[in-house]
Every structure is written in structure tokens, then in C-alpha cells.
């Protein structure tokens, strides 16, 4: 499996839980849950060991300091409980050196939250999500 395919798989898993849709009979739905969120995935070896990661979506931020160095990819998500429809948000992903706190990566992108219905159109929940990939040379890219 190529690195790009693995990245797409990780982002899809982090950004949306995908299972079979609603049952054949009305009112019978799977019990899959999901949240509105924006996620970023990155290639762990491209950043310093022990790096400090921060993801902000508009004014909501989340930090991550423990990333498994043996894992090929890292991921971080910011949950957006107020997201109720397709909307544009600003996503900022920053990676800081663990020794001096100096940013080694600091990129922003405007993205549109897209509708996701992991249990099918006839069943809840309906959530709004975006998935990005952090590329050291090209910035934040749509993970689709």
C-alpha cells in the first residue's frame, strides 16, 4: 500500500466512521455514532521526535504531545459540536520543536465542512467534517 493510500485511509477513519447504511426496513438503523470535526493527518517521521502539535479550527484548538514514533502516521481532530451545516472554516496546524518551542511547521487553510451520514441518509447522525493532510512542502492539503 502506498504512503498516499495509507494517508487517505487514516484520514477517512479519523474523519468519519464508515459502516453499512440503514437497514432495509424503515426505522432500523445501525448504531454508529460520529461527530462534526476537522482532522489533520501527517507522516510522523517528517517532524522532530517529541514535537508539540496544535490544531485550531477557527477559535477551537486542541494540542497533542504524545505521538507514537513507530506509527507511520499521526492524526489530531478538533470536535465541532456547533457545526450544523456546510460552512467554511479556517484550519491551522502547527508543529513546534520540543526543545525550544520554535515552530517547524505552521500552515493554515480555508476548508468547507462536508456532510457525512455514516448510517445512511435516512438515519442519524448527520455530521459536518473536513480531513486534511499536512505536507511539509505543499502545506495543508485536502485528504480526499
Amino acid at each position: 500500500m502506498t504512503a498516499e493510500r495509507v494517508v487517505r485511509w487514516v484520514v477517512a477513519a479519523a474523519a468519519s466512521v464508515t459502516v453499512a447504511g440503514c437497514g432495509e426496513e424503515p426505522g432500523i438503523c445501525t448504531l454508529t455514532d460520529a461527530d462534526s470535526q476537522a482532522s489533520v493527518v501527517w507522516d510522523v517521521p517528517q517532524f522532530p521526535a517529541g514535537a508539540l502539535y496544535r490544531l485550531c479550527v477557527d477559535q477551537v484548538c486542541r494540542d497533542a504531545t504524545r505521538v507514537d514514533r513507530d506509527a507511520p502516521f499521526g492524526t489530531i481532530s478538533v470536535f465541532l459540536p456547533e457545526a450544523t451545516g456546510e460552512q467554511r472554516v479556517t484550519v491551522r496546524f502547527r508543529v513546534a520543536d520540543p526543545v525550544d518551542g520554535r515552530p517547524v511547521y505552521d500552515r493554515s487553510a480555508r476548508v468547507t465542512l462536508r456532510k457525512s451520514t455514516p448510517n445512511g441518509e435516512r438515519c442519524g447522525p448527520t455530521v459536518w467534517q473536513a480531513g486534511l493532510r499536512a505536507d511539509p512542502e505543499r502545506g495543508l492539503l485536502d485528504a480526499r
Side-chain angles (χ1 to χ4, degrees):
M1 183 178 291
T2 67
E4 179 124 349
R5 289 184 72 193
V6 171
V7 168
R8 286 185 178 157
W9 180 84
V10 170
V11 170
S16 176
V17 179
T18 305
V19 297
C22 294
E24 294 299 317
E25 297 178 37
I28 299 176
C29 298
T30 60
L31 298 177
T32 300
D33 198 10
D35 294 301
S36 293
Q37 63 184 327
S39 301
V40 172
V41 66
W42 65 92
D43 187 0
V44 171
Q46 292 181 324
F47 297 111
L52 309 171
Y53 300 89
R54 172 169 262 214
L55 175 63
C56 295
V57 181
D58 289 337
Q59 302 301 315
V60 181
C61 297
R62 180 166 179 220
D63 296 319
T65 56
R66 293 194 170 174
V67 174
D68 182 0
R69 290 299 296 175
D70 295 328
F73 301 98
T75 186
I76 186 172
S77 298
V78 169
F79 297 102
L80 305 169
E82 303 300 319
T84 58
E86 188 172 288
Q87 62 191 49
R88 303 246 329 137
V89 295
T90 300
V91 175
R92 181 179 181 193
F93 183 61
R94 184 173 52 199
V95 181
D97 186 281
V99 176
D100 61 12
R102 177 184 58 83
V104 295
Y105 184 91
D106 191 353
R107 301 288 181 93
S108 295
R110 292 276 296 161
V111 298
T112 301
L113 298 177
R114 302 286 182 205
K115 181 180 179 180
S116 176
T117 53
N119 293 310
E121 286 292 325
R122 296 179 297 166
C123 300
T126 296
V127 295
W128 303 89
Q129 302 175 331
L132 298 166
R133 180 171 56 93
D135 182 288
E137 295 176 11
R138 300 186 307 165
L140 288 175
L141 308 171
D142 189 334
R144 287 189 280 156

